[in-house]
Amino acid sequence: ANDADGRLVMRLPEFSEALGVVDVELSAAGVRLQSAQQVPPLSADAALYSALVAGVAGYVRKNKFPGVLLGLSGGMDSALVLCIAVDALGAERVQTVMMPSPYTAQMSLDDSREMVRRIGVRYDEIAIEPAMRTFADMLAPQFAGLPEDTTEENLQSRIRGMLLMALSNKTGAIVLTTGNKSEMATGYATLYGDMAGGFAVIKDIYKTFVYRLCAWRNAQPGGPVIPDNILTRPPSAELKPDQCDQDSLPPYEVLDALLRQYLEHNASPAQLEAAGYAPEVVAKTLRLLRLSEYKRRQGPGGPRLSPTAFARDWQIPMTHRFTG
């Protein structure tokens, strides 16, 4: 709270309820406000994390869901969403499901088990290989003579989405999706797969911010809850052998900086290239951004944390001819 001269009189805690008391002194010189309540402001990372926690808590409470569930992958995005959910709702209202395929690394299983042990939530494992075989047999006549491609990869993600939604229907808990803004921007997500759910917690958080928030959460009192392996191993969808995100995308440090310039500062392709981004990286990134609009329109809502949240502040036509 500020007085008429702009002087800071009182600062209450951010993202929490508090009662503020201000003393009002009247004199010939005018009105003077005073308060002893001066809570230090949060750091940028603390404020961002607190906003995510408040967003999940408010959405679940106001819509009267009994709890939440999410799929764990052994990766950083689902680890961060799990931390946020537990801090927002308590461990007793959070269920996690690990759905390994033949391509899931043992490290992913070990790290997921270790994290849920540290954080104390319900954890279940459902292997998806039987469903993969069933779908392969069902589709074999239609796929005869055609090589394997991303179709088979996306089936794995969609099987997981079906399992989570079945659990949601049965229990009433809402599914939290775990895709970040970098993935949503470039379409590095499977429609009706890992995009299936009711609330997209980090859809407005770039991958580089996910790294920062995970490190911040691990530094809080109580000790680290996210295993080091999750923070240090190369990100992977684990839908085929030896897969890494950077096989399909530019390094996240480059991708996120480029996206922020384009989305938040209206930089043109020419300006991006003048800033030092390789023309082929600019062209590929902006092409992926345009092609993925139809996916973003069908994804769940989530907290708005930037001036250019998808589906609200930044949209393009799903069908168009422009290339700029």
Side-chain angles (χ1 to χ4, degrees):
N2 292 27
D3 63 13
D5 297 324
R7 181 177 64 90
L8 181 65
V9 175
M10 177 180 63
R11 178 185 280 122
L12 297 178
E14 300 172 60
F15 301 104
S16 62
E17 294 182 0
L19 177 64
V21 179
V22 177
D23 294 327
V24 180
E25 296 182 3
L26 301 177
S27 67
V31 179
R32 179 175 175 81
L33 305 179
Q34 293 188 79
S35 175
Q37 294 170 276
Q38 296 286 344
V39 178
L42 296 175
S43 68
D45 290 344
L48 186 56
Y49 188 89
S50 298
L52 290 164
V53 169
V56 171
Y59 190 83
V60 171
R61 182 183 69 254
K62 292 173 184 178
N63 289 286
K64 297 180 173 59
F65 291 106
V68 301
L69 61 95
L70 65 145
L72 289 186
S73 66
M76 189 176 303
D77 295 328
S78 61
L80 177 61
V81 172
L82 175 55
C83 289
I84 293 166
V86 170
D87 291 342
L89 305 169
E92 68 281 357
R93 297 181 68 188
V94 180
Q95 178 184 356
T96 61
V97 187
M98 180 69 171
M99 295 166 283
S101 79
Y103 306 117
T104 301
Q106 185 62 43
M107 181 184 297
S108 297
L109 282 165
D110 293 342
D111 291 341
S112 294
R113 293 165 180 165
E114 173 60 18
M115 182 168 179
V116 297
R117 184 194 67 80
R118 294 182 186 184
I119 210 162
V121 297
R122 175 178 171 178
Y123 172 75
D124 296 286
E125 290 183 9
I126 305 175
I128 67 169
E129 186 174 9
M132 292 170 61
R133 290 197 302 267
T134 298
F135 274 106
D137 291 342
M138 293 169 62
L139 292 166
Q142 282 72 32
F143 288 0
L146 301 174
E148 289 194 4
D149 54 18
T150 56
T151 304
E152 286 74 15
E153 295 179 31
N154 290 339
L155 270 174
Q156 297 171 55
S157 182
R158 289 177 176 134
I159 290 168
R160 292 179 172 124
M162 284 193 297
L163 291 172
L164 289 173
M165 290 308 302
L167 291 169
S168 175
N169 290 161
K170 188 65 69 174
T171 66
I174 187 174
V175 175
L176 303 181
T177 64
T178 61
N180 61 64
K181 190 170 186 174
S182 308
E183 295 170 341
M184 296 302 104
T186 56
Y188 198 68
T190 303
L191 196 58
Y192 321 122
D194 55 332
M195 291 179 68
F199 197 62
V201 179
I202 57 172
K203 67 176 293 186
D204 202 25
I205 302 294
Y206 292 104
K207 183 73 171 189
T208 47
F209 283 73
V210 173
Y211 279 93
R212 284 173 44 182
L213 293 180
C214 284
W216 179 88
R217 181 61 180 82
N218 263 8
Q220 299 313 297
V225 292
I226 305 174
D228 287 341
N229 282 337
I230 292 178
L231 303 178
T232 57
R233 63 188 297 208
S236 171
E238 294 191 328
L239 299 175
K240 64 180 181 179
D242 302 319
Q243 185 179 40
C244 288
D245 290 5
Q246 293 341 161
D247 296 338
S248 305
L249 299 173
Y252 281 117
E253 294 79 5
V254 174
L255 175 65
D256 290 356
L258 190 159
L259 287 170
R260 293 187 72 187
Q261 286 297 313
Y262 185 76
L263 296 173
E264 298 176 19
H265 302 287
N266 297 314
S268 68
Q271 289 171 324
L272 292 170
E273 292 178 18
Y277 296 100
E280 62 273 15
V281 172
V282 173
K284 178 180 180 179
T285 300
L286 299 189
R287 178 176 178 273
L288 290 173
L289 182 68
R290 293 192 296 272
L291 292 176
S292 302
E293 181 67 13
Y294 82 100
K295 288 187 180 183
R296 292 189 290 270
R297 296 284 183 94
Q298 300 180 69
R304 177 183 181 270
L305 297 155
S306 78
T308 54
F310 290 131
R312 174 168 176 170
D313 307 302
W314 194 92
Q315 291 183 350
I316 56 174
M318 288 190 290
T319 303
H320 51 75
R321 296 180 64 183
F322 65 86
T323 59

